[in-house]
């Protein structure tokens, strides 16, 4: 099979191509009629979203008929995006997880957990992921914000706003703000005494403003007052890497914040793994605590850098689409075209109905190229760890000793690629990723082997930071807690201040397949 990188370039045919099909794949009673000349654009869009879901949604067999679902009930509002978003939410109420009796896409905030629609209509962008709704940090490493990620620690009536991360190249990083600094005032208003009444205003001030003035106290105790202006910048996904020596053992550590495009992050990853190879690293600590996922091929690239030579040719992971797609029974995907190239580099235009969605055609194997002999891996995770991050963890569970430290992960074993409908990129949950043991059932998140809270009072890579310390202790002593260790911190999980909430720029959270297959 020929595997190629693909970028969607054409829009949904909103007229006769879709509606001239003789019948849907649900029942004969729901035969698709030719469009009435009075049919509005939003009615065609709501119809289209439902029809494509019957082809591509992972749980499509749970969807009702067109008549029962009645997609045009979502065409009544004045805001096109809001109408489609409401319809998508209704679609994701189908597909019930038998373990929880709730939808697989259930989220406590009453939103879709996985699927979403890009809020921005087509603007000519060449990025595979144009923009995640109002995302200010994309998968190409482009930021457009202050560059702050913060955590609220304490109680509802007495909390601190602590900087967890400043993104490389951002206004916050250039201004000298760093992990562990505490923000006390924003635009002259003091925060920290009433979480419930302050949270909305705090979010707006830090993430939806063009400029802001913040005051606070740096980790070293010095006061600061800084004006930040929203600016476009280029950031990095590898924010820290280190090698620790313990006797004859060499432990490699790197903090990775996004599975951004290989074009953006490959050079940094190669530098990090070259450093590990030169040092003779045999054990790894991979810090994914702030990583919401991204491109699958970037996860595959990292996996091949980590994998020992003994894994060459063995199954890394496979993608499992719904039976309609696997058996080439789709009816509407043929109306969506894409552009790619053949083996000789010649341009080809094809459609999504011609792609091989079989399991065998979407199984990937190891091709190790890191020249490392990794014995074990410890992952540092939180509830922000999702999608491609979880995929990387799941890939190695059948082959290497793997431990998780931190907090239960987000839980997203599903992935997608964008379907462009009427100028909107729609990301329906399309496939589950499974490791070589056919394991993928972590919809509720991956449980950790050792609970540990994110401790922003120490820099990433500092062995006194609670989660990293537990990982290091495990790899060097076999115990997560080592009271005799020279690096033991005075703070433990029992006396660390409770984290109320994480706040960060709008970022992509997902697992994107950008290597579609052609026959």
């Amino acid at each position: 099979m020929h595997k190629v990188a693909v970028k969607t370039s054409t829009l949904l045919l909103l007229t006769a191509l879709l509606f001239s099909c003789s019948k849907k794949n649900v029942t004969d009673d729901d035969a698709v009629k030719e469009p009435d000349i009075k049919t509005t654009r939003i009615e065609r869009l709501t119809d289209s979203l439902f029809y494509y879901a019957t082809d591509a949604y992972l749980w499509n067999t749970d969807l009702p008929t067109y008549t029962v679902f009645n997609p045009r009930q979502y065409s009544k509002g004045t805001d096109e995006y809001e109408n489609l978003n409401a319809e998508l939410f209704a679609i994701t109420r189908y597909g019930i997880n038998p373990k929880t009796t709730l939808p697989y896409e259930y989220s406590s905030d009453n939103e879709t957990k996985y699927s979403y629609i890009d809020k921005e209509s087509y603007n000519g962008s060449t990025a595979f992921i144009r923009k995640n709704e109002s995302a200010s940090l994309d998968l190409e490493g482009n930021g457009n914000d202050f560059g702050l990620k913060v955590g609220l620690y304490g109680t509802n009536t007495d909390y601190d706003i602590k900087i967890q991360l400043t993104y490389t190249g951002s206004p916050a990083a250039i201004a000298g703000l760093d992990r562990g600094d505490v923000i006390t005032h924003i635009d002259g208003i003091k925060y920290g005494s009433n979480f419930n009444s302050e949270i909305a205003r705090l979010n707006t001030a830090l993430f939806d403003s063009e400029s802001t003035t913040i005051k606070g106290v740096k980790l070293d105790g010095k006061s600061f007052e800084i004006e930040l202006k929203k600016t476009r910048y280029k950031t990095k996904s590898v924010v820290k890497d280190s090698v620790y020596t313990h006797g004859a053992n060499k432990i490699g550590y790197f903090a990775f914040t996004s599975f951004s495009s290989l074009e953006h992050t490959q050079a940094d990853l190669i530098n990090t793994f070259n450093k590990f190879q030169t040092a003779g690293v045999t054990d790894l600590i991979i810090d994914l605590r702030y990583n919401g996922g991204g491109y699958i091929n970037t996860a595959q690239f990292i996996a091949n850098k980590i994998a020992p030579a003994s894994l060459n040719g063995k199954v890394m992971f496979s993608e499992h689409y719904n039976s309609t797609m696997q058996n080439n029974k789709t009816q509407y995907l043929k109306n969506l075209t894409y552009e790619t190239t053949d083996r000789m580099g010649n341009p080809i235009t094809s459609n999504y109905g011609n792609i091989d969605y079989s399991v065998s055609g979407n199984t990937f194997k190891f091709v190790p190229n890191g020249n490392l002999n990794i014995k074990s891996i410890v992952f540092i995770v939180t509830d922000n760890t999702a999608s491609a991050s979880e995929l990387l963890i799941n890939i190695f569970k059948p082959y290497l000793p793997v431990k998780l430290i931190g907090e239960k992960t987000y839980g997203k074993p599903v992935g997608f690629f964008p379907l462009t409908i009427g100028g909107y990129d729609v990301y329906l949950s399309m496939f589950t990723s499974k490791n070589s043991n056919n394991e993928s059932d972590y919809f509720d998140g991956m449980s950790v082997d050792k609970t540990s809270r994110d401790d922003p009072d120490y820099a990433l890579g500092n062995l006194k930071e609670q989660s990293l310390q537990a990982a290091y202790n495990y790899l060097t002593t076999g115990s997560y807690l080592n009271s005799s260790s020279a690096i033991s911190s005075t703070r433990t999980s029992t006396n660390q201040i409770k984290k109320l909430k994480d706040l960060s720029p709008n970022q992509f959270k997902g697992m994107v397949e950008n290597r579609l297959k052609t026959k």
Side-chain angles (χ1 to χ4, degrees):
M1 185 196 323
H2 179 208
K3 299 177 182 178
V4 292
V6 182
K7 171 67 183 82
T8 305
S9 61
T10 55
L11 307 183
L12 167 65
L13 304 179
L14 286 172
T15 52
L17 271 182
L18 177 60
F19 295 93
S20 63
C21 300
S22 62
K23 65 176 69 175
K24 291 171 52 271
N25 62 345
V26 183
T27 69
D28 290 343
D29 294 334
D30 281 326
V32 179
K33 304 294 191 300
E34 292 290 336
D36 189 293
I37 58 173
K38 296 181 180 179
T39 301
T40 64
R41 168 180 160 87
I42 185 57
E43 288 175 333
R44 295 195 297 271
L45 284 172
T46 54
D47 280 355
S48 298
L49 179 56
F50 178 76
Y51 289 140
Y52 280 108
T54 64
D55 266 2
Y57 192 51
L58 183 58
W59 299 285
N60 67 335
T61 56
D62 292 331
L63 293 175
T65 65
Y66 176 94
T67 301
V68 171
F69 186 80
N70 185 20
R72 294 190 186 184
Q73 68 179 296
Y74 301 101
S75 66
K76 308 304 180 185
T78 58
D79 188 297
E80 192 171 83
Y81 167 76
E82 294 299 334
N83 288 345
L84 293 173
N85 208 42
E87 181 184 5
L88 179 67
F89 180 82
I91 287 171
T92 62
R93 297 310 87 187
Y94 298 92
I96 303 298
N97 186 340
K99 290 187 176 180
T100 64
T101 69
L102 295 170
Y104 281 100
E105 296 217 39
Y106 170 80
S107 175
S108 60
D109 58 8
N110 204 34
E111 295 181 356
T112 58
K113 186 173 183 179
Y114 308 137
S115 304
Y116 77 95
I117 302 175
D118 194 309
K119 191 173 184 177
E120 301 293 323
S121 58
Y122 186 66
N123 58 7
S125 172
T126 57
F128 196 86
I129 300 295
R130 293 205 302 265
K131 198 176 184 186
N132 178 22
E133 299 185 6
S134 58
S136 50
L137 190 60
D138 67 20
L139 288 182
E140 312 306 316
N142 302 306
N144 186 24
D145 51 34
F146 302 140
L148 284 170
K149 178 171 176 54
V150 303
L152 311 186
Y153 296 82
T155 66
N156 286 331
T157 57
D158 182 16
Y159 66 88
D160 288 331
I161 307 169
K162 294 190 177 186
I163 296 176
Q164 297 171 324
L165 185 70
T166 56
Y167 293 93
T168 306
S170 70
I174 293 172
L177 296 176
D178 209 345
R179 181 175 167 86
D181 296 344
V182 177
I183 298 172
T184 58
H185 296 74
I186 305 174
D187 294 328
I189 300 174
K190 182 174 174 51
Y191 288 84
S193 60
N194 192 326
F195 172 84
N196 292 327
S197 66
E198 295 170 353
I199 184 62
R201 188 169 70 236
L202 176 60
N203 245 323
T204 298
L206 288 181
F207 305 112
D208 292 329
S209 302
E210 294 298 315
S211 65
T212 191
T213 299
I214 61 175
K215 293 174 61 177
V217 181
K218 294 191 69 62
L219 191 57
D220 62 9
K222 295 179 181 179
S223 298
F224 68 85
E225 181 173 355
I226 296 173
E227 181 183 9
L228 297 175
K229 293 184 178 181
K230 182 179 177 181
T231 307
R232 296 185 183 278
Y233 60 93
K234 200 78 171 179
T235 192
K236 294 184 175 183
S237 294
V238 180
V239 295
K240 179 69 177 180
D241 61 30
S242 303
V243 176
Y244 311 108
T245 301
H246 182 268
N249 295 334
K250 296 292 181 68
I251 300 170
Y253 164 87
F254 73 106
F256 195 59
T257 58
S258 172
F259 286 81
S260 54
S261 67
L262 268 178
E263 291 79 7
H264 169 248
T265 199
Q266 183 171 345
D268 289 335
L269 287 168
I270 289 173
N271 287 338
T272 293
F273 280 96
N274 283 347
K275 180 186 294 186
F276 292 165
Q277 181 182 337
T278 300
V281 163
T282 57
D283 298 281
L284 280 178
I285 301 171
I286 304 178
D287 195 337
L288 301 173
R289 72 182 79 194
Y290 303 137
N291 196 315
Y295 290 119
I296 290 175
N297 64 335
T298 300
Q300 184 181 17
F301 179 85
I302 295 173
N304 278 323
K305 285 291 182 184
I306 295 171
S310 60
L311 293 186
N312 186 47
K314 294 188 177 181
V315 171
M316 183 186 288
F317 67 95
S318 56
E319 296 169 358
H320 296 244
Y321 293 85
N322 64 39
S323 59
T324 304
M325 297 176 77
Q326 285 190 40
N327 296 321
N328 195 27
K329 299 294 185 181
T330 61
Q331 294 193 49
Y332 307 108
L333 288 181
K334 65 178 179 291
N335 296 324
L336 282 177
T337 61
Y338 65 87
E339 293 178 355
T340 185
T341 57
D342 62 17
R343 287 187 177 90
M344 304 303 293
N346 301 312
I348 298 173
T349 298
S350 188
N351 68 72
Y352 283 92
N354 287 334
I355 293 170
D356 181 1
Y357 297 109
S358 67
V359 174
S360 61
N362 291 274
T363 294
F364 300 89
K365 297 182 179 181
F366 284 102
V367 185
N369 60 14
N371 296 313
L372 293 172
N373 186 24
I374 300 301
K375 297 184 298 183
S376 57
I377 310 175
V378 177
F379 291 94
I380 297 175
V381 299
T382 65
D383 57 0
N384 293 305
T385 305
S387 301
S389 289
E390 294 168 312
L391 170 64
L392 185 64
I393 296 168
N394 201 39
I395 281 171
F396 283 106
K397 282 191 171 184
Y399 298 114
L400 293 173
V402 169
K403 297 293 182 182
L404 274 63
I405 291 175
E407 304 167 4
K408 192 176 188 179
T409 66
Y410 181 77
K412 191 174 189 223
V414 304
F416 41 45
F417 54 80
L419 298 176
T420 306
I421 300 179
Y424 296 96
D425 274 356
V426 177
Y427 297 84
L428 291 164
S429 295
M430 288 184 178
F431 60 84
T432 56
S433 63
K434 299 188 179 186
N435 64 19
S436 63
N437 286 343
N438 216 34
E439 297 166 334
S440 67
D441 191 10
Y442 48 89
F443 291 95
D444 193 39
M446 293 179 169
S447 298
V448 296
D449 299 286
K450 170 62 180 175
T451 299
S452 177
R453 291 195 178 98
D454 184 15
D455 186 356
D457 286 349
Y458 296 100
L460 297 177
N462 188 324
L463 286 172
K464 289 186 178 181
E465 194 277 320
Q466 186 182 130
S467 296
L468 179 54
Q469 181 187 147
Y472 178 87
N473 284 342
Y474 174 78
L475 290 174
T476 55
T477 70
S479 172
Y480 298 107
L481 298 176
N482 182 11
S483 59
S484 63
S485 170
I487 64 165
S488 288
S489 167
T490 57
R491 302 182 69 176
T492 67
S493 59
T494 57
N495 64 20
Q496 181 160 348
I497 297 172
K498 179 184 178 181
K499 181 175 70 176
L500 293 174
K501 191 174 183 63
D502 290 322
L503 299 176
S504 65
N506 292 314
Q507 291 176 257
F508 180 84
K509 182 175 284 185
M511 183 163 59
V512 187
E513 179 52 84
N514 61 337
R515 303 159 306 182
L516 303 183
K517 282 77 182 169
T518 57
K519 294 181 179 179

